[in-house]
Amino acid sequence: MTIDMLSTAFLRAVRAVARPLVLLTGLALGSLAAPAFATPPESWEDPDNGSALELLLILGGIPLAVIALLALAVYLPSMMRGQSSEPALAFQQRSEWFGGPRKGVEGTPEPTAQSEDKGGAGGRW
């Protein structure tokens, strides 16, 4: 038991020293890296960058146009049929009971008189 406790204490001490050492080594090696100061070849032309307005139109206008086309593709069929796009109006025609009797609410049996056995979970000790 004593040997296990010594080896566990030794491993904890090694980990406590190794973690900061690894972190400091990574920081030191990362600070030694320097950017390359090479110049581009003389034959390369300077790129013609567009204006900031063109960039905003491309990055903002194209996604907005795609969103508008998708919304039109979703709502156009119901608009052509004259249906409302409000979700509450779509379900006011008739009520649905999924998994209920096939004859609907009128097909449910009448409740019988209550008996002494109410059912359900219970326990007696």
Side-chain angles (χ1 to χ4, degrees):
M1 185 91 172
T2 313
I3 294 174
D4 285 340
M5 293 175 74
L6 286 176
S7 64
T8 305
F10 177 72
L11 286 176
R12 285 184 184 161
V14 168
R15 286 184 189 142
V17 171
R19 286 180 183 153
L21 186 65
V22 168
L23 179 67
L24 290 175
T25 304
L27 287 174
L29 291 176
S31 65
L32 292 177
F37 292 111
T39 59
E42 297 287 332
S43 61
W44 286 7
E45 297 178 10
D46 286 335
D48 182 29
N49 294 332
S51 67
L53 182 61
E54 289 177 6
L55 180 67
L56 287 176
L57 286 175
I58 290 172
L59 293 178
I62 291 175
L64 288 176
V66 169
I67 290 170
L69 286 174
L70 287 174
L72 186 66
V74 168
Y75 286 112
L76 188 63
S78 63
M79 288 168 46
M80 296 296 287
R81 283 184 256 134
Q83 291 179 338
S84 172
S85 62
E86 190 175 338
L89 294 176
F91 294 104
Q92 286 184 353
Q93 294 175 358
R94 63 186 166 129
S95 59
E96 294 268 342
W97 184 2
F98 296 106
R102 293 189 186 270
K103 295 178 184 176
V105 179
E106 295 82 22
T108 58
E110 291 296 322
T112 59
Q114 293 183 357
S115 64
E116 294 295 320
D117 295 332
K118 297 195 181 205
R124 296 192 176 121
W125 287 273

